[in-house]
Amino acid sequence: MSFHSELKKRVQEYFDQKKISPTGDFRLFSKAIILLLSLVAVYVHLVFFESPVWVALLECVVLGGVVSAIGFNVMHDGAHGSFSQHKWMNNIAAFSLNVLGGSSFMWNVKHNIIHHAYTNIDGMDDDIDIKPFMRMSVSQKKYKLHKFQHIYFWFLYCLLYIFWIFVSDYKKYFTKKIGDMPLKKMALKDHLFFWGFKALNLFLFIGLPIYVVGFQHWLIGFLVFTVVAGLVLSVVFQLAHTVEHTAFPMPDEVTGKLEDEWAVHQLRTTANFATQNKVVCWLVGGLNFQVEHHLFPKISHVHYPAINKIIKQACAEYGVVYIEYARVRQALASHISYLKMVGQAA
């Protein structure tokens, strides 16, 4: 039996023995309600109620954090079909991204199809394509500015969210490509949803706030909100794959195949962090259990702590390395060291 087959068998046995569904439960649903109500409350208070400047700025910071948390906890599980046993609930959860300015269609192709299948493979995984500003793999072209990327990456990460909603989605839409990969053909409803929700987001986060609070106040608040969201989103996703101990394999030039089987490839290219920190686990929606997520993307993140033990045991038996950092600061330090190494390597 292959390593992957053994993993699937053991994890399935866990759910059979517990007689529970691998999708979300009350822990996820209650969290989703708390986060969505928090988003509405902070948004309404910011736009329609006057507050001291320091309070408004603090609320913009909170808004950026809440938006990120909704992406991690609600949208992410919904997009993978693991939020609920009901497809319509998964669709609603996934569509939270559209309201927040992204495109669930683009995300599905970029993340579910490409990233999960070709993790850390240069030219295919769009998550490591930040060219020419950053070099995320030694196989990518090197520029002189990369020597300092471990210093200036903070600035670029802060721009992720604003770049996502105003540039990258449109680039994918009009070029019909994600990196070097062709975009899945869009049906009429996909086009309508894309433009309809983009318009809704522009109204909710730009048009209406400018009308109510004025351009200057909106601009300051919008920049604070998007910078916080961009930084949080970038750091959480990068700590999962671009650290010192993860691999960046390339397919064989002749066969076009990878050396490792799929499950081993996921373990070699993925890392966990701060899995014992309950606050981090709650906020990032199990994305600190990235190994479990990549091996079992259809399982909700609320079950990752349980199956984590099963996967670790199987890795120990099969001699497969399991990459994990005990704390966020250790993973972040490893990410910075990796950026410095890649930026200066030949």
Side-chain angles (χ1 to χ4, degrees), residues 312-346:
K312 279 185 174 179
Q313 179 62 35
C315 287
E317 293 175 15
Y318 278 76
V320 179
V321 176
Y322 187 104
I323 307 170
E324 185 168 21
Y325 296 90
R327 293 176 174 82
V328 173
R329 67 174 181 269
Q330 292 173 345
L332 183 59
S334 183
H335 175 59
I336 295 172
S337 294
Y338 175 77
L339 291 180
K340 184 176 181 179
M341 182 274 291
V342 174
Q344 297 178 0

Side-chain angles (χ1 to χ4, degrees), residues 49-62:
F49 293 86
E50 288 190 21
S51 301
V53 173
W54 70 270
V55 173
L57 290 175
L58 180 60
E59 287 182 330
C60 290
V61 172
V62 172

Side-chain angles (χ1 to χ4, degrees), residues 270-304:
T270 308
N272 283 3
F273 62 91
T275 56
Q276 300 301 313
N277 188 319
K278 293 184 178 180
V279 175
V280 171
C281 291
W282 196 92
L283 291 173
V284 306
L287 290 179
N288 54 328
F289 285 89
Q290 193 75 196
V291 171
E292 286 68 31
H293 171 62
H294 265 256
L295 291 172
F296 297 97
K298 293 292 185 181
I299 294 178
S300 173
H301 73 265
V302 296
H303 302 294
Y304 291 165

Side-chain angles (χ1 to χ4, degrees), residues 214-270:
F215 179 80
Q216 185 176 3
H217 288 168
W218 162 80
L219 180 61
I220 295 172
F222 186 75
L223 290 176
V224 172
F225 149 57
T226 54
V227 161
V228 171
L231 181 61
V232 172
L233 289 165
S234 295
V235 169
V236 169
F237 280 111
Q238 292 295 351
L239 295 190
H241 298 290
T242 52
V243 288
E244 292 172 291
H245 299 93
T246 51
F248 292 77
M250 293 298 290
D252 184 272
E253 293 183 2
V254 178
T255 65
K257 294 181 179 181
L258 292 167
E259 178 182 354
D260 299 309
E261 66 161 285
W262 180 83
V264 176
H265 172 80
Q266 297 305 321
L267 281 153
R268 290 188 63 219
T269 57
T270 308

Side-chain angles (χ1 to χ4, degrees), residues 100-116:
L100 298 176
S103 166
S104 57
F105 180 90
M106 300 300 175
W107 174 263
N108 177 62
V109 180
K110 164 189 165 62
H111 183 78
N112 295 12
I113 298 175
I114 298 176
H115 171 67
H116 273 264

